[in-house]
Amino acid sequence: MTCPWSAKLDRYLDSELPDDELTEMEAHLRSCPSCAPEALSRLQLKRVTQAVGHRFSPSPEFRMKIEQSMSAPKPRPWMVRWAPAFAAAAALALMLISVGVWLQHSRSEQALDELADLHVATLASANPVDVVSTDRHTVKPWFQGKLPFSFNLPELQGSPFQLLGGRLTYFQQNPGAQLLFEVGKHRISAFIFQNRAELSRLNSGSSLSRKLAFSSETWTEGGLRYFIIGDASPSDIRGLSEFLRSAARS
Amino acid sequence: MPLFASLYNFAHWLTQNREEAEDLVQETYLKALKGFASFQQGTNFRAWMYRILRNTFLTSRTGLSVKMTEPLDLEENPAALPVTPDTPESVLLARADQQAVQDALERLPVHFREVILLCDMEEMSYQEIAETIGIPIGTVMSRLSRARKSMRELLETQVRGASQARGAPQK
Ligand SMILES: [Zn+2]
């Protein structure tokens, strides 16, 4: 004679029973002569399976091989230019996501997190920018008609910064401009959106950006909200921010 | 390297071969890097990686041959969950040692093996397993239930066989 509760044993042992059923099940197990030993036996099998399951480990040589191939991917045509940023960003992103750092942030951290993700995704993309140009006179007009606002770009000649291009982006359902800059080996994204109440609550330098090893700056100027984010040094982020601020005022 | 040791271990269980497991893991990371832009935030990263690994395996030569020789799930209907009868098997299983469990796992069809490993070894939730394998949660439950039943039957045979071989008393 099979106890009808035995059909729930697996879900019970896998911690998949909802709270109310869990309480009932626990009460039942204390009194059922058929389910109690069965639960014990299944639990033991689960434990042995877990112990046995972890029996294969990668060799140190293989680990090294993969780590090397991750940090220095073979160049493909589109990657030649983006390879360092791609590898660093993608490896970083994989690492970060695996520890689930995004799990419990405040709302503003989530927003910055989302922008950081946009930045990382851009670097990992085969076509990081829609308009590829180092010339602000090419990049700025490209956005005209594509966005409900316009903005100025700074002259970077003689500075350590270089404009790489731009793309349209969406953040919380609002269109914006994402501009990609380079300083040394680092890439920096500048996001520009129309300012809204939700955005004005965001602060830079949250715990998130510290965890990401990213630096960020954010400010409002002329009804636009700017976010600068990248793995460059905080002083480079500030430096680029200054260029953008003064361009906005000109 | 995120999930490196776990992915390798799982790959080795799927392929049952070190070299193939290494190729599988390497390909998984390459695909993950290439496809990273398509990774949706908010989805489960671990399930995403395991899914890439699993799909890569199923389209590999070994994976394809495994698929060909394995009967597809016929009665994957959550309403028809098999009920395990009460038998003295629980007594026998209490004696199942690690070697017996390992042998049984290796002999299980790959669809059963993976679902047990994802649940018991990786301690994934049913939701994560559903995302990894790409099947509904109800199917995860019925497949898991049938996989465990198979496993218990294999163990029972082994344990009984071993007892008889040693001439040990049954009770
Ligand atoms: Zn019972």
Side-chain angles (χ1 to χ4, degrees), chain A residues 172-209:
Chain A
Q172 298 177 345
Q173 283 82 50
N174 290 282
Q178 180 180 5
L179 301 151
L180 203 58
F181 295 90
E182 183 179 59
V183 55
K185 281 185 290 183
H186 303 282
R187 303 287 191 280
I188 303 173
S189 280
F191 295 93
I192 309 175
F193 302 94
Q194 276 179 309
N195 196 31
R196 286 171 294 119
E198 310 91 272
L199 292 182
S200 58
R201 282 200 295 272
L202 300 182
N203 302 310
S204 60
S206 72
S207 60
L208 168 87
S209 50

Side-chain angles (χ1 to χ4, degrees), chain A:
Chain A
M1 169 86 200
T2 301
C3 174
W5 289 75
S6 68
K8 281 190 187 174
L9 275 178
D10 277 345
R11 269 180 293 156
Y12 167 69
L13 295 171
D14 296 336
S15 313
E16 294 276 347
L17 278 188
D19 285 350
D20 49 335
E21 290 183 51
L22 180 71
T23 317
E24 285 172 13
M25 186 53 143
E26 278 170 349
H28 175 76
L29 281 177
R30 279 193 289 272
S31 62
C32 178
S34 133
C35 287
E38 184 65 22
L40 204 64
S41 149
R42 289 191 192 191
L43 181 63
Q44 192 184 14
L45 181 53
K46 253 179 96 77
R47 287 194 179 141
V48 178
T49 303
Q50 189 180 34
V52 164
H54 292 287
R55 62 187 288 242
F56 303 113
S57 29
S59 68
E61 297 77 31
F62 179 56
R63 182 184 287 271
M64 203 138 68
K65 183 179 159 189
I66 292 291
E67 272 168 6
Q68 278 165 0
S69 72
M70 287 275 284
S71 56
K74 298 217 169 54
R76 280 159 230 207
W78 63 265
M79 275 177 64
V80 173
R81 171 161 199 168
W82 299 97
F86 170 84
L92 175 68
L94 285 172
M95 222 102 79
L96 286 164
I97 291 192
S98 68
V99 285
V101 293
W102 74 71
L103 278 180
Q104 278 160 14
H105 296 307
S106 70
R107 194 172 155 179
S108 94
E109 283 175 326
Q110 275 175 3
L112 278 175
D113 193 0
E114 217 177 308
L115 289 170
D117 277 357
L118 275 174
H119 174 64
V120 168
T122 301
L123 297 184
S125 155
N127 302 298
V129 285
D130 297 330
V131 49
V132 185
S133 174
T134 57
D135 182 2
R136 63 186 173 131
H137 299 297
T138 306
V139 174
K140 189 192 156 186
W142 183 85
F143 283 99
Q144 267 162 22
K146 297 185 175 79
L147 287 174
F149 58 89
S150 70
F151 54 87
N152 282 334
L153 284 175
E155 174 56 71
L156 294 172
Q157 196 100 54
S159 81
F161 304 103
Q162 191 178 17
L163 178 64
L164 298 176
R167 63 191 287 272
L168 281 180
T169 190
Y170 283 87
F171 177 60
Q172 298 177 345
Q173 283 82 50
N174 290 282
Q178 180 180 5
L179 301 151
L180 203 58
F181 295 90
E182 183 179 59
V183 55
K185 281 185 290 183
H186 303 282
R187 303 287 191 280
I188 303 173
S189 280
F191 295 93
I192 309 175
F193 302 94
Q194 276 179 309
N195 196 31
R196 286 171 294 119
E198 310 91 272
L199 292 182
S200 58
R201 282 200 295 272
L202 300 182
N203 302 310
S204 60
S206 72
S207 60
L208 168 87
S209 50
R210 284 198 294 276
K211 275 182 207 151
L212 281 165
F214 280 172
S215 306
S216 65
E217 281 271 314
T218 178
W219 71 91
T220 309
E221 181 90 50
L224 298 179
R225 185 75 184 190
Y226 291 75
F227 295 95
I228 316 299
I229 192 159
D231 64 340
S233 70
S235 64
D236 279 341
I237 297 282
R238 265 199 304 279
L240 180 62
S241 301
E242 277 315 311
F243 275 108
L244 285 158
R245 270 181 216 260
S246 48
R249 289 189 208 110
S250 64

Side-chain angles (χ1 to χ4, degrees), chain B residues 24-150:
Chain B
L24 185 51
V25 169
Q26 182 162 24
E27 210 174 320
T28 300
Y29 277 107
L30 286 175
K31 284 186 182 172
L33 281 176
K34 265 198 245 169
F36 187 71
S38 71
F39 174 71
Q40 301 284 315
Q41 194 195 342
T43 51
N44 184 303
F45 178 72
R46 180 166 67 151
W48 184 69
M49 289 294 284
Y50 274 78
R51 186 171 188 160
I52 296 176
L53 186 137
R54 183 181 177 275
N55 289 345
T56 307
F57 168 69
L58 288 179
T59 51
S60 71
R61 198 180 303 171
T62 311
L64 284 172
S65 67
V66 165
K67 240 172 151 179
M68 300 296 274
T69 55
E70 250 178 44
L72 277 173
D73 300 310
L74 296 175
E75 76 289 25
E76 295 229 313
N77 176 3
L81 276 177
V83 178
T84 313
D86 297 330
T87 63
E89 80 186 23
S90 53
V91 181
L92 288 167
L93 291 188
R95 281 193 260 146
D97 59 7
Q98 297 211 348
Q99 185 61 49
V101 172
Q102 186 178 309
D103 291 347
L105 273 173
E106 275 165 10
R107 285 169 60 193
L108 277 180
V110 97
H111 285 101
F112 282 175
R113 193 190 311 144
E114 68 171 359
V115 80
I116 287 183
L117 288 171
L118 292 176
C119 185
D120 293 347
M121 175 183 76
E122 300 298 349
E123 297 185 292
M124 280 190 183
S125 67
Y126 290 175
Q127 175 62 40
E128 269 185 290
I129 299 174
E131 281 174 35
T132 300
I133 306 187
I135 54 177
I137 284 200
T139 312
V140 171
M141 288 195 260
S142 59
R143 191 177 294 180
L144 201 48
S145 173
R146 287 187 300 121
R148 283 173 169 154
K149 189 163 184 281
S150 265

